[in-house]
Amino acid sequence: MTVIGWLQISLLFLAVLAVVKPLGLYMAQVFSGGRNVFSPIFGPVERGLYAAAGVDPAKEQGWLAYTLSMLAFSLAGFATLYAILRLQAWLPLNPQGFGSVPPDLAFNTAVSFVTNTNWQNYAGETTMSHLSQMLGLTVQNFVSAASGIAMALALTRAFARSAVSTVGNFWVDLTRATLYVLLPLAIVVALAFVAMGLPQTFHASVTATTLEGAQQSIALGPVASQEAIKQLGTNGGGFFNVNAAHPFENPTALSNYLNIFAMLSVSAALLYTFGQFVGNRRQGWAFIAVTFAFLIASAGVVYWAEAAGNPILTALGLDPALGNMEGKEVRFGQAMTALYATVTTGLSDGGVNGMHGSFTGLGGLVPMFLIQLGEVLPGGVGSGLYGMVVFAILAVFVAGLMVGRTPELLGKKIGSREMKYAMFAVLILPLAILGFTAISAVLPFAVASVGTAGPHGLSEVLYAFTSAAGNNGSAFGGLTGNTPWYNTTLGIAMLLGRFAYAVPVLAIAGSIAAKTRVPASKGTFPTDTPLFVGLLIGIILILGGLQFFPALALGPIIEHLAMLSGQTF
């Protein structure tokens, strides 16, 4: 580890903190229905969309109607994207002449992008036409992220209001999140990416002459526009197979910085928006403190592990001065690769600028563990916020048990109904992750897809289902996922991770909204103090960590211990 490396990491976090408040206030203004700087431009478009869809923006929905609207929109998105992929061979903007995507891969991909997972069992430059990339995948990058923001807003309003039966209007929240937040930011970031060297063209490829004199065809396409919303919407799905390690997706150290900044900015700012909505900005900062504490500590562990190198390779005579550079781009180095890996898994982004499977045992453990914590650090846009609130509900319940008082969060009493919904949501991840991993570890045709023997092979399978159920999308590598078994089971895990979590969260919103908001008293446990921040960190670690510790002990932990002892598998 170096001072320069830590300086790079510190400056990135400072840059994100600098935009948290202004962007958070702007989003609070947008979602409150107030006039904003883009109203003259997008206001007529917004009203036109409502008129075309028959939506009354003044009419709000109860939690059940809100949930059904979200599910119906997601189902329509899945059907549309699946049809585009299956009909790709006959659709325009296919200069490479790619055929239709096979049924099981089309199912996996459609589910992946609709659930904001963006797991990719294919190489984009050899599978997807320009139309599939733009009309299919990029559109879902916008609307799946906007759906997450909408659900977070429903829960936010529940705490901000008192004794009401509505939580907002899904169609209004979806539209405003897309038009006023994601679209303007994506345009700015896309233009910045083009200036940094990312392609934005309809050409299929360009031919280059190598140093040996051979001709090489290099894939091109509308890359910059997809990359922008990929990061801002915490989607992570790359235009190319190696994602942000590809020089056309992430050519320089500066573009790498912008990638990480774009990933973090909207999700972190939404935590501030929550505080602004509920009338307690300190609450938003408390949530931000939790996320930054995890991210900084995790980036430090990964950076240390990778900088320390691999003792096995050192024993073979490799110079340990550079640490473990396997699977990393020299133009980024260990510090920014460690930070990228930490942020992309603390979020539900899933984009990678290095191969997580090439990290040391401890270095690979951290990204996997961050996803298993529920991706609330700060998580995906919207999904991270409502995941954090679920953990806050559990934290005040534990605090209430400790002091013998009824648990309360932001003036709303937390009862048995909310606790049941919260526990149902929290238990979805271990059920999907551990259940499918256990089955895949014993079925011969599933084991045949594993590329590495020993504990690393188990880590490949565990990471795959962790990434799918956590709606992350990054991969450990080595696992051949494009098979009927993994395309189907990973798709089911994605659906459970998104909707089996979101539905109870919206049910919590409906229950909380109906309760009367009571003022704080001397006996109220404050939830915006360092004490609560510590309690919340403990709850996230206990509920997230203990459920997965036995599986981690069989995979990355034993791999790390074996590396320290010089043992190979």
Side-chain angles (χ1 to χ4, degrees):
M1 293 194 291
T2 65
V3 174
I4 296 297
W6 275 111
L7 183 61
Q8 290 175 319
I9 293 172
S10 301
L11 288 176
L12 189 283
F13 282 122
L14 289 174
V16 173
L17 282 175
V19 302
V20 160
K21 183 176 180 178
L23 184 54
L25 288 174
Y26 168 73
M27 288 192 289
Q29 183 182 35
V30 167
F31 297 123
S32 297
R35 186 174 178 81
N36 61 79
V37 65
F38 293 111
S39 294
I41 302 172
F42 295 121
V45 178
E46 179 187 4
R47 292 188 291 273
L49 289 173
Y50 295 151
V55 172
D56 181 1
K59 184 178 180 181
E60 293 201 346
Q61 299 171 304
W63 80 268
L64 184 58
Y66 200 100
T67 302
L68 292 175
S69 297
M70 179 272 295
L71 293 174
F73 180 76
S74 300
L75 179 61
F78 165 80
T80 302
L81 180 52
Y82 182 82
I84 291 172
L85 298 178
R86 293 290 293 131
L87 298 173
Q88 176 177 267
W90 296 277
L91 294 175
L93 287 177
N94 185 7
Q96 305 93 332
F98 291 145
S100 298
V101 180
D104 58 310
L105 180 58
F107 166 79
N108 180 278
T109 305
V111 167
S112 180
F113 279 78
V114 167
T115 59
N116 200 241
T117 306
N118 304 83
W119 172 275
Q120 295 173 289
N121 270 338
Y122 60 88
E125 63 267 46
T126 60
T127 306
M128 298 294 173
S129 69
H130 291 348
L131 184 76
S132 295
Q133 294 273 20
M134 293 188 301
L135 183 61
L137 307 185
T138 304
V139 167
Q140 285 304 317
N141 282 348
F142 277 97
V143 296
S144 66
S147 296
I149 294 175
M151 289 184 280
L153 288 170
L155 187 58
T156 300
R157 293 192 188 97
F159 282 98
R161 298 174 175 181
S162 180
V164 297
S165 59
T166 60
V167 294
N169 185 309
F170 173 78
W171 306 108
V172 173
D173 292 338
L174 176 78
T175 303
R176 289 176 178 167
T178 303
L179 287 181
Y180 296 106
V181 179
L182 298 176
L183 184 57
L185 290 174
I187 291 173
V188 172
V189 174
L191 290 174
F193 276 149
V194 170
M196 292 176 185
L198 274 70
Q200 183 68 20
T201 176
F202 285 145
H203 289 298
S205 62
V206 63
T207 301
T209 303
T210 68
L211 294 176
E212 294 81 9
Q215 298 295 303
Q216 181 179 2
S217 179
I218 303 175
L220 295 174
V223 181
S225 56
Q226 182 167 323
E227 286 301 298
I229 189 58
K230 154 191 167 179
Q231 305 296 34
L232 289 166
T234 61
N235 297 285
F239 193 95
F240 299 102
N241 186 35
V242 293
N243 210 274
H246 195 290
F248 282 179
E249 285 199 29
N250 194 4
T252 67
L254 183 59
S255 68
N256 189 63
Y257 230 69
L258 181 56
N259 269 273
I260 304 174
F261 176 82
M263 271 192 268
L264 273 173
S265 55
V266 178
S267 289
L270 275 169
L271 298 175
Y272 189 89
T273 302
F274 177 85
Q276 179 71 13
F277 253 95
V278 300
N280 185 351
R281 293 182 182 180
R282 286 172 56 89
Q283 186 66 67
W285 283 117
F287 288 159
I288 292 170
V290 171
T291 65
F292 274 58
F294 270 107
L295 290 178
I296 293 171
S298 300
V301 172
V302 177
Y303 187 17
W304 173 83
E306 298 308 301
N310 189 330
I312 298 175
L313 297 180
T314 302
L316 294 175
L318 189 69
D319 184 1
L322 294 178
N324 178 36
M325 284 299 294
E326 180 188 348
K328 300 176 181 64
E329 292 295 307
V330 176
R331 65 184 185 274
F332 305 140
Q334 289 164 340
M336 297 312 292
T337 303
L339 180 60
Y340 201 114
T342 299
V343 171
T344 198
T345 49
L347 292 154
S348 67
D349 188 90
V352 295
N353 72 347
M355 301 301 104
H356 295 180
S358 295
F359 288 7
T360 61
L362 184 59
L365 166 68
V366 172
M368 189 188 309
F369 186 61
L370 287 175
I371 304 173
Q372 292 168 347
L373 291 180
E375 288 191 302
V376 295
L377 310 167
V381 286
S383 61
L385 172 54
Y386 62 67
M388 178 67 77
V389 174
V390 167
F391 277 113
I393 289 173
L394 297 173
V396 297
F397 178 77
V398 172
L401 292 177
M402 293 170 65
V403 300
R405 292 184 60 87
T406 302
E408 181 181 315
L409 179 61
L410 296 169
K412 296 297 183 82
K413 300 290 185 181
I414 305 300
S416 60
R417 175 177 295 180
E418 292 79 30
M419 285 305 302
K420 290 174 183 176
Y421 288 142
M423 287 307 303
F424 183 85
V426 169
L427 291 174
I428 285 298
L429 283 183
L431 175 66
I433 294 170
L434 299 177
F436 281 122
T437 299
I439 296 171
S440 299
V442 297
L443 293 177
F445 55 83
V447 174
S449 294
V450 179
T452 310
H456 193 86
L458 176 62
S459 295
E460 292 174 3
V461 180
L462 179 62
Y463 194 105
F465 286 108
T466 296
S467 180
N471 298 141
N472 184 269
S474 63
F476 220 48
L479 178 71
T480 303
N482 190 13
T483 66
W485 169 257
Y486 283 108
N487 278 331
T488 303
T489 54
L490 288 170
I492 295 172
M494 295 175 209
L495 291 171
L496 290 173
R498 178 71 163 189
F499 300 114
Y501 196 106
V503 170
V505 165
L506 291 173
I508 291 174
S511 179
I512 291 292
K515 296 189 175 187
T516 301
R517 193 174 186 184
V518 298
S521 65
K522 291 183 179 180
T524 301
F525 180 68
T527 57
D528 55 6
T529 63
L531 177 61
F532 179 76
V533 168
L535 176 63
L536 185 53
I537 289 174
I539 292 297
I540 293 172
L541 282 173
I542 292 170
L543 289 178
L546 291 183
Q547 298 174 106
F548 298 102
F549 183 78
L552 293 172
L554 295 174
I557 292 178
I558 194 172
E559 184 180 356
H560 173 69
L561 296 176
M563 184 190 73
L564 294 179
S565 64
Q567 180 182 354
T568 58
F569 292 92

